[in-house]
Amino acid sequence: MIGRTTKLLASGAAMRSAAARRSAAVNSVVRWNSEGETVVLDSWRADQSGGEGGEEGGRRLCPELLYGFSVLTLAGVWGTREREGEDGKSAEQQSKSVKGSILQRFSAQAAEPIGKDDQRSGRDSGGGSGGDGNKQSRREKFNFIADVVAETAPALVYIEIKDTAHRDFFTGQPITSSNGSGFIVRSDGLILTNAHVVINKPRASIQVRLQSGDVYAGTVEDVDVRSDLATVRIQCHNLPVMKLGVSKELKPGEFVVAMGSPLSLSNTITTGIVSNVARPPTELGLEGRDVPEYIQTDAAITFGNSGGPLINLDGEAIGINSMKVTPGISFAIPIDYAKEFLVKSEEAGRSGWPIGKRRYIGITMVSLSPQMIAELRHRSNIPASVTHGILIYRLVVGSPADRAGLRPGDIVTHINGKPIHGSRDVYKMLEGQTTPLQLTVNRERNAVLNIQVTPDSNP
């Protein structure tokens, strides 16, 4: 009996000892370490009663929290059980080994700067304006339109046409009859613009205002009505020059900037894209134009923008703003064609065409194209010898042309023996000093007349 009792007591003690050992097993839990932004695994012991005990001491975890750690364990994030004695590593060493991976898995950053360099500089400087000042803001880094304008605006000019026949009642100054834009293509004062900005303005003076605010008197140096291009000269040197690009390299959808003075609002900037790189003039209803194709853009262009540059993002003029059809549909003359006009104008000046102040004869004319000549032959039986020239369709009463006997409908084929192929040639003759001018005129009924006209130097 005593032996059986002794065995029962020993067995009970062994069972209580085993239960104690099981309850005192080392468990792995997670706690946040205040020493830096790290997560460590800590060791603790909890007895069955939930009181404090063991080497580290701890608190009993509720079943829900233990269940949560079990789910994380299954996900492979944290280990739930330390293996004592594995490779001789302690719990502290094992916790350090998983510290980096835990931070990588649970770190998050919102609204990071664009680019790795910006991200690093933002962290170093604290992410605000209090850094070292080397970090560029998005406004500074991506405001490319403003950079283009700052580079090209000094070459933009405002052209104002003053009517000397009418003066303001209060100031006594000539009134402004029209205005337009242009840009400097030579540092010695040569300006490119549209022909309709500066021609067919009798008794008018041209004033050119630079970006600096200085105003100069302008003189029309060359005109090509069929292409709607003209050059104006001012007496000024060392001027900023607009770079000329290559319009044939344009692509649909490319960003462009239109500069000019719409509605007399000088230095106005509008932006858009290239809608079409080669719009034929026939689709626009334009006849008798030498420009083979136009650049279509949705950049806002209106009255006063004419003659201003259409610029690409490299700061190069790739077109000359010419006309507006409706909001969102505007057209520009390709700069490649304007380059040809500038070359021809320069060659004409070297070949002996005199350049000076343009004189006045008082006519409104139209350059004759082959299509127009064929139409005139069908209607009025003009002679077959007429293959070029200009048609006079309006005269100013009392002007030199009116006094000399010219009539509306006359066709001028030669001046001083030189063939006339367009209004550009007439303007060249008017800029010379030859007086009088000998005009070869074809009139109705195949009459060929020689009429002398003495231009007026003071219109």
Side-chain angles (χ1 to χ4, degrees), residues 197-213:
V197 173
V198 294
I199 67 170
N200 295 330
K201 307 287 191 301
R203 297 181 174 85
S205 64
I206 300 173
Q207 292 187 359
V208 178
R209 185 190 305 162
L210 305 180
Q211 288 289 309
S212 61

Side-chain angles (χ1 to χ4, degrees), residues 226 288 290 367-377 387-388:
R226 291 173 61 85
D290 287 342
S367 300
L368 292 179
S369 64
Q371 294 82 5
M372 294 181 65
I373 292 175
E375 183 73 16
L376 289 173
R377 281 205 183 100
T387 58
H388 56 81

